């Protein structure tokens, strides 16, 4: 199996684990909120992440923070479109759009974005059909509940089994709707309707997801599970983030959604050197 994904003409080669750099263009995002609101600041940051080794830049215009104010389609587009248009022209790597709204998918893919990253896994009305029509790859993420309420009392009988069967079902729905498996990625959705124990069980059980035969994505960077284990604020989670990313890559995760690109890049180079040696022997 080869893992080269065509993102609207730009290649994402996941034969070795790669980095998805996070670029939030929101005034209220939890860890870098407000930093990248001005288009030129966002664009500089995207270039920097590419130079540091990101393989794709994930652009988000709507915060998914629990309780965050909902954003209108027009406002989301006003935030992301100017940045996407420039980055598509300037960057050698693809950009993905972190959205669950079909209208935003349509406009941003029209502006040249190469992948849809959807925390609702195309469950919004019309999203499945829109993504099929747009013909770009889609990352399907698991979330229990909705951002507003998901952390109130997340419950599972068996978190790995349930998240896996959800993602398997979404893959089936996508294929039925005309999105072939070679255009899909899956993500267990760390922190989205999960307690610390759920997150740890998912991290420990990551290998289970490989059986679904599409590349696995993980977003652990700066999340509260790191903070809960270390008892430190976001600013002090770097070493914890790197440990979690390295573990995930070692388990077979192909794309890591992170804020700290150069640091994660070094960790992945070490993991990859070990993996490659194993394959040759
Ligand atoms: C508040 C809560 C702000 C959560 C931001 C977040 C993921 C994602 C996000 C992920 C994929 C964050 C999240 N997380 N997309 N988008 N996987 N595929 O920590 O884990 O950045 S937003």
């Amino acid at each position: 199996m080869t893992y080269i994904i065509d993102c609207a003409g730009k290649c994402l080669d996941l034969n070795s684990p790669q980095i998805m750099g996070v670029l939030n263009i929101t005034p209220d995002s939890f860890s870098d909120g407000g930093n990248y609101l001005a288009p030129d600041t966002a664009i500089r940051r995207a270039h920097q992440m590419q130079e540091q080794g990101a393989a794709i830049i994930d652009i988000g215009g709507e915060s998914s923070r629990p309780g965050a104010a909902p954003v209108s389609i027009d406002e989301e587009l006003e935030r992301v479109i100017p940045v996407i248009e420039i980055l598509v022209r300037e960057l050698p790597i693809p950009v993905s759009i972190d959205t669950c709204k079909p209208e935003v998918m349509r406009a941003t893919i029209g502006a040249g974005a190469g992948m849809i990253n959807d925390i609702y896994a195309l469950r919004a009305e019309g999203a499945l059909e829109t993504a099929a029509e747009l013909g770009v790859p889609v990352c399907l993420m698991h979330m229990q509940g909705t951002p507003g309420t998901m952390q109130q009392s997340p419950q599972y009988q068996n978190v790995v089994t349930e998240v896996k069967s959800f993602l398997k079902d979404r893959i089936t729905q996508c294929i039925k709707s005309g999105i072939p498996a070679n255009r899909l990625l899956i993500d267990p959705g760390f922190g989205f309707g999960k307690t610390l124990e759920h997150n740890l069980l998912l991290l420990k059980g990551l290998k289970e997801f490989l059986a679904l035969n599409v590349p696995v994505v993980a977003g652990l960077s700066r999340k509260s599970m790191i903070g809960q284990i270390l008892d430190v604020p976001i600013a002090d989670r770097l070493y914890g983030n790197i440990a979690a990313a390295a573990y995930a890559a070692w388990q077979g995760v192909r794309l890591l959604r992170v804020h700290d690109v150069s640091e994660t890049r070094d960790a992945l180079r070490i993991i990859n050197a070990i993996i490659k040696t194993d394959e040759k022997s």
Side-chain angles (χ1 to χ4, degrees), residues 20 22 24 26 28-32 58 62-66 68 98 116-119 139-142 147 150 186-192 217-224 255 257-259:
M20 169 184 266
V22 178
N24 282 317
T26 60
D28 55 5
S29 173
F30 85 124
S31 69
D32 52 6
D58 189 44
E62 178 190 30
S63 175
S64 47
R65 178 173 57 191
D98 189 341
I116 295 165
N117 175 30
D118 185 356
I119 64 167
C139 178
L140 303 165
M141 198 197 77
H142 174 272
M150 64 188 180
I186 52 169
D187 184 330
F190 290 100
F192 286 84
V217 181
L220 294 149
S221 182
R222 301 186 181 176
K223 286 197 173 167
S224 70
L255 191 59
R257 185 178 176 280
V258 308
H259 303 81

Side-chain angles (χ1 to χ4, degrees), residues 202-219:
L202 281 171
L203 194 51
K204 196 168 181 183
L206 270 174
K207 276 202 156 84
E208 293 271 328
F209 295 93
L210 306 183
L212 297 177
N213 284 314
V214 299
V216 177
V217 181

Side-chain angles (χ1 to χ4, degrees), residues 108-131:
T108 54
I109 301 303
M115 182 190 286
I116 295 165
N117 175 30
D118 185 356
I119 64 167
Y120 279 98
L122 303 180
R123 288 177 292 163
E125 171 96 47
L128 210 45
E129 298 76 9
T130 301

Side-chain angles (χ1 to χ4, degrees), residues 8 20 51 95 143 199 210 216 226 233 257:
M20 169 184 266
E51 286 155 14
V95 303
M143 165 168 48
N199 287 316
L210 306 183
V216 177
I226 310 287
R257 185 178 176 280

Side-chain angles (χ1 to χ4, degrees), residues 53-220:
I56 184 167
I57 305 294
D58 189 44
I59 300 180
E62 178 190 30
S63 175
S64 47
R65 178 173 57 191
V71 174
S72 73
I73 291 165
D74 284 349
E75 187 170 355
E76 197 173 334
L77 289 176
E78 270 171 45
R79 291 176 183 178
V80 299
I81 291 284
V83 175
I84 291 171
E85 282 177 341
I86 292 168
L87 291 181
V88 164
R89 255 190 286 125
E90 292 183 350
L91 286 181
I93 57 172
V95 303
S96 61
I97 174 69
D98 189 341
T99 193
C100 51
K101 300 188 184 83
E103 298 86 350
V104 175
M105 294 174 189
R106 205 175 283 285
T108 54
I109 301 303
M115 182 190 286
I116 295 165
N117 175 30
D118 185 356
I119 64 167
Y120 279 98
L122 303 180
R123 288 177 292 163
E125 171 96 47
L128 210 45
E129 298 76 9
T130 301
E133 189 187 318
L134 293 171
V136 291
V138 182
C139 178
L140 303 165
M141 198 197 77
H142 174 272
M143 165 168 48
Q144 184 181 83
T146 59
T149 56
M150 64 188 180
Q151 289 309 104
Q152 280 169 17
S153 74
Q155 273 171 23
Y156 302 84
Q157 296 287 330
N158 180 317
V159 66
V160 173
T161 311
E162 286 173 47
V163 171
K164 186 178 168 188
S165 90
F166 168 87
L167 291 171
K168 187 178 179 188
D169 178 68
R170 296 312 296 162
I171 292 171
T172 304
Q173 293 306 316
C174 284
I175 293 170
K176 270 192 200 160
S177 304
I179 310 173
N182 66 7
R183 231 183 268 153
L184 295 174
L185 303 92
I186 52 169
D187 184 330
F190 290 100
F192 286 84
K194 283 113 186 165
T195 63
L196 173 60
E197 191 193 4
H198 296 143
N199 287 316
L200 286 170
L201 287 166
L202 281 171
L203 194 51
K204 196 168 181 183
L206 270 174
K207 276 202 156 84
E208 293 271 328
F209 295 93
L210 306 183
L212 297 177
N213 284 314
V214 299
V216 177
V217 181
L220 294 149

